């Protein structure tokens, strides 16, 4: 019995590993905020190009913030980060799901992100919205859509 | 599951760090934290706790995240037609989990009816024939002072980031209120000058609508948040009753930008002093014909106002509180809250509406 359980667990672990190594698509799913995200959000962000411009601003502000810049400098490949984040944000705002990265929990598992660091990124997100002249209310739709990932990202 | 495990150890860490920090000033540098997002710790309430203007929220005061400690000091000034109130105090938030607060409240009355009574008491005392003891009144504006000590513990939930769940941030709070002008409180026919209150607060941010909603249930016997004491008595301090009851409170704050909120509040009040006149300790006692027993008093106030008029004017009433506010946090180091208060009937004065101005400086 014990051995069987062990084998089952090993099997499950293997299949999870197989899944994550093959995550060329759908490593993460759109979130499901209780009050929904308005369908017009992606458009108000300026479409895919608008989202990409926002992500570029986001990384600009992140790299200016001493509380979080070192983490991104050490672990991030900015070009790839911007590419994947554009896909992720497009997806959660109701656009097509073309996200090619790992799940939020897998991507952040080893980083030991604190709530303080997470909030610093949220501050950068608002600054990026202001820089890109995205309305505060529209910006909140993105926060609304990304907020459910908090527990996957903050591990400390 | 991972999250709940982390929460468990965080609890122990919180307690350990809180205890440690009391004894070690050297550890402060590492514990200082201002990682919370704008305004999500609330502002400085009249109870000292973090929240709106009058309603304590489930959020923990200060800009600390769960990684450290933060706090601030606050000052609030309210000008009403017949009252002038100021609050000064401070609060500390520990690990976004626990908060301690203190506030001192000073209320000065500008009531011609109470001043008249005070004047009579003074005159009798000067004449060497005092009829009553200390009523706690002053003819230059009687004062009510109160100290409020508070503690709040976040039980569960996250007001800000759980946009995929209806579970609000939930906290339980205790307040110990000690009115340091018990003579005046007794004159107002309140049962007690000091008492405790408890509340359960539920707070949730709805990003979809850029709006924060808070509902608080308070278990209390307070009259005017305790400024005029707790519970009520019949004239002569008989048939006293200060049984606590549950009262509801609501705050709604809509964010126009990340550091500017507008909103409104409602606070249910009891009415334990309803219709009770100010207890002048027999000063205004009348005979069956309605004439003042004391000729001296009769001579003194006969010319000022009719007796019936004065006695009627000394009847108390208490209304629920409403306010509309805006709060602006230009930086994480301070916020300014302005409000217009609709406090209705407060003790012996009616239609007490006026301006509220509050500054909350955070470390």
């Amino acid at each position: 019995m014990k051995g069987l359980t062990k084998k089952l667990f090993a099997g499950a672990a293997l299949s999870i590993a197989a899944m994550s190594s093959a995550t060329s698509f759908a490593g993460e799913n759109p979130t499901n905020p209780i009050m929904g995200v308005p369908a017009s959000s992606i458009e108000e962000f300026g479409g895919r190009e608008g989202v990409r411009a926002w992500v570029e601003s986001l990384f600009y502000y992140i790299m200016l913030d001493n509380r979080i810049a070192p983490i991104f400098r050490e672990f991030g490949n900015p070009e790839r980060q911007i590419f994947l984040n554009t896909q992720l944000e497009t997806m959660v705002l109701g656009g097509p799901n073309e996200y090619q990265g790992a799940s939020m929990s897998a991507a952040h598992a080893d980083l030991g992100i604190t709530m303080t660091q997470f909030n610093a990124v949220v501050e950068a997100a608002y600054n990026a919205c202001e820089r890109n002249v995205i309305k505060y209310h529209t910006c909140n739709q993105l926060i609304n859509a990304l907020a459910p990932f908090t527990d996957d990202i903050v591990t400390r | 599951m991972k999250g709940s495990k982390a929460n468990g150890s965080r609890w122990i860490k919180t307690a350990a760090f809180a205890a440690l920090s009391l004894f070690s000033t050297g550890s402060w540098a590492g514990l200082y934290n201002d990682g919370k997002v704008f305004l999500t710790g609330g502002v400085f309430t009249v109870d000292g706790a973090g929240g709106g203007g009058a309603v304590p929220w489930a959020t923990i005061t200060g800009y600390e995240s769960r990684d450290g400690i933060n706090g601030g000091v606050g000052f609030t000034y309210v000008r009403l037609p017949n009252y002038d109130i100021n609050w000064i105090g401070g609060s500390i938030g520990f690990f976004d989990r626990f908060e301690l607060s203190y506030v001192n409240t000073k209320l000065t009355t500008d009531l011609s009816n109470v001043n008249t009574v005070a004047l009579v008491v003074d005159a009798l005392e000067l004449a060497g024939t005092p009829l009553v003891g200390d009523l706690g009144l002053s003819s230059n504006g009687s004062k009510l002072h109160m100290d409020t000590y508070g503690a709040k513990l976040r039980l569960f939930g996250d007001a800000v980031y759980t946009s995929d769940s209806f579970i609000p941030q939930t906290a339980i709070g205790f307040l110990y209120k000690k009115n340091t002008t018990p003579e005046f409180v007794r004159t107002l026919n309140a049962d007690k000058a000091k008492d405790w209150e408890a509340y359960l607060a539920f707070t949730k941010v709805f990003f979809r609508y850029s709006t924060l909603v808070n509902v608080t249930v308070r278990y209390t016997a307070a009259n005017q948040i305790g400024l005029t004491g707790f519970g009520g008595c019949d004239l002569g301090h008989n048939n006293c009753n200060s049984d606590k009851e549950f009262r509801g409170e609501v705050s709604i704050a809509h964010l126009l930008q990340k550091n500017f909120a507008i909103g409104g509040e409602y606070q249910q009040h009891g009415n334990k002093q309803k219709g009770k006149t100010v207890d002048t300790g027999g000063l205004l006692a009348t005979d069956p014909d309605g004439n003042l027993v004391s000729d001296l008093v009769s001579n003194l106030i006969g010319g000022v106002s009719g007796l019936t008029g004065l006695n009627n004017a000394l009847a108390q009433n208490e209304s629920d509180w409403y306010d509309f506010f805006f709060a602006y946090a230009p930086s994480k180091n301070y916020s300014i809250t302005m409000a217009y208060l609709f406090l209705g009937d407060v003790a012996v004065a009616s239609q007490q509406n006026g301006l509220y101005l509050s500054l909350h400086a955070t470390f």
Side-chain angles (χ1 to χ4, degrees), chain A residues 33-36 38 114-116 118-119 122-123 127 130 136-137 140-141 143-144 147-148 150 156, chain B residues 10 33 35-37 65-67 161 163-166 204 206-210 255-258 332:
Chain A
I34 42 172
M35 298 194 161
T114 65
M115 189 54 94
T116 305
F118 182 82
N119 286 343
V122 171
E123 285 173 23
N127 285 334
E130 285 166 18
Y136 173 70
H137 184 73
N140 271 344
Q141 303 315 319
I143 305 296
N144 185 19
T150 308
R156 265 207 290 172
Chain B
R10 198 172 299 122
N33 186 278
K36 214 178 262 177
V37 183
S65 72
R66 56 167 93 148
D67 307 316
Y161 289 129
S163 62
D164 54 350
S165 154
F166 275 105
K204 187 142 191 76
F206 297 103
F207 279 113
R208 175 76 163 80
Y209 301 103
S210 307
L255 283 113
L256 294 176
Q257 64 177 45
K258 65 184 178 186
K332 281 193 180 179

Side-chain angles (χ1 to χ4, degrees), chain A residues 41-117:
Chain A
S41 296
I42 184 88
E43 197 184 311
E44 284 167 31
F45 253 85
R48 196 191 173 79
E49 284 312 304
V51 172
R52 179 172 171 100
W54 176 85
V55 173
E56 285 184 12
S57 288
L58 172 71
F59 276 80
Y60 169 78
Y61 283 107
I62 285 172
M63 298 321 275
L64 289 176
D65 189 334
N66 289 329
R67 297 172 294 179
I68 43 179
I71 304 167
F72 284 84
R73 215 172 275 133
E74 188 175 347
F75 298 100
N77 167 349
E79 276 308 307
R80 182 161 170 76
Q81 290 272 325
I82 289 169
F83 175 74
L84 289 175
N85 267 283
T86 304
Q87 292 178 333
L88 182 79
E89 269 83 272
T90 302
M91 170 180 80
V92 296
L93 282 173
N97 182 358
E98 294 165 351
Y99 181 61
Q100 296 174 5
S103 72
M104 285 296 104
S105 54
H108 297 87
D110 303 327
L111 301 182
I113 305 286
T114 65
M115 189 54 94
T116 305
Q117 291 161 339

Side-chain angles (χ1 to χ4, degrees), chain B residues 14-36:
Chain B
T14 303
F17 270 124
L20 194 75
S21 62
L22 289 175
F23 301 105
S24 159
T25 47
S27 64
W28 275 106
L31 290 172
Y32 169 81
N33 186 278
D34 62 352
K36 214 178 262 177

Side-chain angles (χ1 to χ4, degrees), chain B residues 114 117-118 121-122 134-139 142 183-184 187 278 280:
Chain B
V114 173
V117 174
V121 174
D122 287 354
D134 186 1
L135 296 180
L137 304 180
S138 158
S139 52
S142 307
E183 296 84 8
F184 192 5
T187 299
V278 170
T280 54

